[in-house]
Amino acid sequence: MKMGYNVFLTGPPGSGKTFLLNKYIDYLKENNKAVAVTASTGVAATHMNGITLHSWSGLGIKESLTKNDIKKLMKKSYLKKHYKNTKILIIDEISMLTAAQFDAVDLACRQFRASFQAFGGMQVVCSGDFFQLPPINRNGMARPVNESQAWKSMDMKTCYLEEQHRHKDKNLFALLNHIRSNNIEESKKILMARPPQEELLGIPTKLYTHNIDVDEVNSVELEKIAGKEFVYHMSSMGKQEVVKALKKSCLAPERLVLKKGARVMFLKNNFDEGYVNGTQGSVVGFDFEGLPVVETIRGQKITARSAVWTVDEEGKIIARVNQLPLRLAWAITVHKSQGMNLDEAEIDLSKCFVEGMGYVALSRLRSLAGLKLVAINDMAFYINKKALDIDEKLRKESKAMAKNLKKISPAEKEKRHKQFLMSMA
């Protein structure tokens, strides 16, 4: 990445893809390089204080861009600034983009930057895992991003991360590897061999495959509590269109209603305060300022204070929202759980309707000891055939790249690092 290649970071959940992206983003900012931090989903974007690619690019909900669409976009001054000033484009959760969307953003980049090069000559660093939930459009399943014309023209270098930093449970790690290998029978054996988990130690989040089930559970459970309601409203400032996108991408609700006893989940990392994205607990009271006090499943009491989500452009904050970094967490969708690390979860996979959904849900856990499996269907064990073929190819590409990198001396690497930074001036 530091030598300026277009790079695809991939590997299983917990292998450090987002961590590594954040390190590179910090490196670029330290060297005053204009980097656009985006992701295919709002959930992923919040992990890096970024924005959705759809919002940054002006693509919005469109699947592709016509000549007329491009003309309209080029009249927008804030988009002109995006495209003109950005030197490096980061895209997380790339596997959830369709080929058509990727080609559309490439087209916009080339038009705005008046360049025939892929993405107008920007360095593009993508991250994702093709075993995650596949892209969809209005007609159902869509072509994956690696089948786009832009991808094929970029000379993308694959870096396959293999170390595991999330799952310390050997059985869970084996289960996920069996699913990734399409070994359904072995996957079922590991799940069936688990001791029955009737109750979990803490407050498990319930994962469902459909929004309707999630909304119903959270609404019903909050209504069951007879105590006083405490309401927290999100505040915002900055460019209207960017603020709107940031509100949408931020997992924190604009109007958060809490009661003593409410089950909640933290939505950001704050190591000083003792929580990370996905830390679960329950509201045990409110302090003199009316702020909720959350007791985590590990017994730690944390006063939840307002957090900030921002969008940076050339080192300046152009949009900001403030809200408590909490959401009700009796239940969330499998889709929105992507990128989270969960200590405990009660998972209902009886309505899995797409390949990879079971894999995503189970890979959120740190250990099988934290799993209460309500139900599961056969679809939960399936992985998309294309993902299997792609994965094999990516492993080979990564090994070849690693071999080539070893041939470059440290002095030559350092020289290329400096040359790339100078070229991005």
Side-chain angles (χ1 to χ4, degrees):
M1 287 191 289
K2 290 166 73 174
M3 287 191 285
Y5 288 113
N6 292 327
V7 172
F8 176 44
L9 284 175
T10 189
S15 58
K17 296 185 293 295
T18 301
F19 176 84
L20 185 54
L21 278 184
N22 279 319
K23 286 292 184 183
Y24 187 51
I25 292 165
D26 290 342
Y27 167 79
L28 293 171
K29 289 183 176 179
E30 287 167 6
N31 285 279
N32 300 312
K33 300 307 167 189
V35 53
V37 182
T38 74
S40 63
T41 68
V43 178
T46 61
H47 297 167
M48 301 182 298
N49 288 324
I51 194 170
T52 64
L53 181 65
H54 306 72
S55 178
W56 177 87
S57 65
L59 180 64
I61 62 173
K62 292 183 174 66
E63 184 72 11
S64 59
L65 294 173
T66 64
K67 289 183 179 180
N68 194 43
D69 290 331
I70 291 290
K71 286 181 180 179
K72 290 180 180 178
L73 291 180
M74 293 186 74
K75 292 179 181 178
K76 298 183 178 181
S77 58
Y78 79 95
L79 285 178
K80 284 184 180 179
K81 193 173 181 181
H82 277 178
Y83 285 105
K84 180 181 178 181
N85 295 337
T86 299
K87 305 297 183 181
I88 300 98
L89 176 61
I90 307 287
I91 310 175
D92 197 13
E93 292 291 359
I94 193 73
S95 63
M96 296 183 73
L97 282 179
T98 68
Q101 290 168 334
F102 199 66
D103 277 334
V105 177
D106 168 55
L107 174 62
C109 287
R110 287 188 282 111
Q111 291 288 333
F112 271 96
R113 295 168 68 86
S115 171
F116 290 108
Q117 291 180 283
F119 284 84
M122 297 179 190
Q123 182 198 31
V124 181
V125 178
C126 301
S127 176
D129 177 10
F130 285 109
F131 285 103
Q132 301 277 359
L133 295 176
I136 57 173
N137 56 25
R138 294 175 184 176
N139 299 318
M141 300 293 288
R143 288 189 303 129
V145 68
N146 66 306
E147 292 184 9
S148 65
Q149 288 301 313
W151 188 281
K152 295 171 184 176
S153 69
M154 294 171 66
D155 189 26
M156 190 80 83
K157 306 300 182 185
T158 301
C159 296
Y160 200 115
L161 306 183
E162 295 180 332
E163 291 183 6
Q164 178 54 234
H165 301 282
R166 180 187 301 162
H167 308 298
K168 305 304 180 184
D169 183 338
K170 291 182 179 179
N171 286 332
L172 176 57
F173 191 43
L175 169 63
L176 296 176
N177 278 336
H178 284 312
I179 296 177
R180 286 179 75 95
S181 302
N182 204 28
N183 196 335
I184 296 173
E185 291 307 313
E186 288 301 317
S187 302
K188 288 182 177 181
K189 282 181 183 179
I190 292 176
L191 274 182
M192 295 307 108
R194 290 168 46 251
Q197 186 67 281
E198 297 299 329
E199 295 296 332
L200 296 173
L201 296 175
I203 305 171
T205 294
K206 297 178 180 180
L207 297 189
Y208 291 92
T209 53
H210 292 73
N211 273 309
I212 189 169
D213 296 316
V214 168
D215 294 340
E216 183 179 358
V217 168
N218 284 329
S219 177
V220 168
E221 292 298 329
L222 188 65
E223 283 297 317
K224 286 180 182 179
I225 301 175
K228 177 184 175 182
E229 284 188 352
F230 287 76
V231 182
Y232 308 89
H233 295 279
M234 179 182 287
S235 63
S236 63
M237 61 169 288
K239 294 183 178 180
Q240 185 176 353
E241 67 277 1
V242 185
V243 168
K244 183 179 179 180
L246 186 56
K247 284 182 177 181
K248 188 175 180 180
S249 67
C250 174
L251 281 176
E254 288 194 51
R255 182 176 184 271
L256 174 66
V257 181
L258 297 177
K259 298 178 184 179
K260 184 178 179 180
R263 296 185 180 184
V264 293
M265 176 185 293
F266 283 93
L267 302 172
K268 293 200 79 175
N269 294 333
N270 190 325
F271 301 107
D272 292 334
E273 292 293 328
Y275 62 82
V276 296
N277 182 30
T279 294
Q280 302 167 61
S282 60
V283 177
V284 294
F286 298 85
D287 72 2
F288 67 96
E289 294 180 86
L291 296 173
V293 179
V294 178
E295 183 172 353
T296 71
I297 63 174
R298 298 182 185 276
Q300 181 181 4
K301 290 185 179 180
I302 300 170
T303 300
R305 304 182 185 281
S306 183
V308 181
W309 287 262
T310 62
V311 176
D312 296 345
E313 188 177 271
E314 297 182 344
K316 297 180 180 179
I317 296 175
I318 62 169
R320 177 203 306 258
V321 299
N322 294 68
Q323 177 59 292
L324 295 185
L326 295 173
R327 66 171 291 148
L328 294 177
W330 281 283
I332 58 174
T333 61
V334 172
H335 178 87
K336 288 185 177 177
S337 75
Q338 287 194 118
M340 290 183 173
N341 301 325
L342 302 178
D343 293 304
E344 296 185 337
E346 182 177 311
I347 303 177
D348 186 346
L349 297 175
S350 62
K351 299 178 184 177
C352 280
F353 56 91
V354 67
E355 296 144 324
M357 188 165 275
Y359 177 79
V360 169
L362 294 169
S363 64
R364 299 306 94 207
L365 290 161
R366 291 187 173 91
S367 167
L368 281 179
L371 169 65
K372 181 178 180 181
L373 187 61
V374 176
I376 191 167
N377 64 9
D378 283 344
M379 177 60 76
F381 294 98
Y382 289 124
I383 289 293
N384 187 279
K385 177 63 168 60
K386 283 187 177 180
L388 292 166
D389 295 337
I390 293 169
D391 194 64
E392 184 178 353
K393 179 183 177 184
L394 292 174
R395 286 179 182 271
K396 290 179 180 178
E397 289 177 357
S398 181
K399 287 179 180 178
M401 171 54 63
K403 189 176 181 180
N404 289 335
L405 284 173
K406 288 178 181 178
K407 296 177 182 177
I408 304 174
S409 69
E412 177 62 20
K413 286 180 183 176
E414 186 65 27
K415 179 182 176 182
R416 294 193 192 182
H417 296 168
K418 291 179 181 178
Q419 287 176 338
F420 174 61
L421 289 176
M422 290 178 65
S423 71
M424 291 293 108

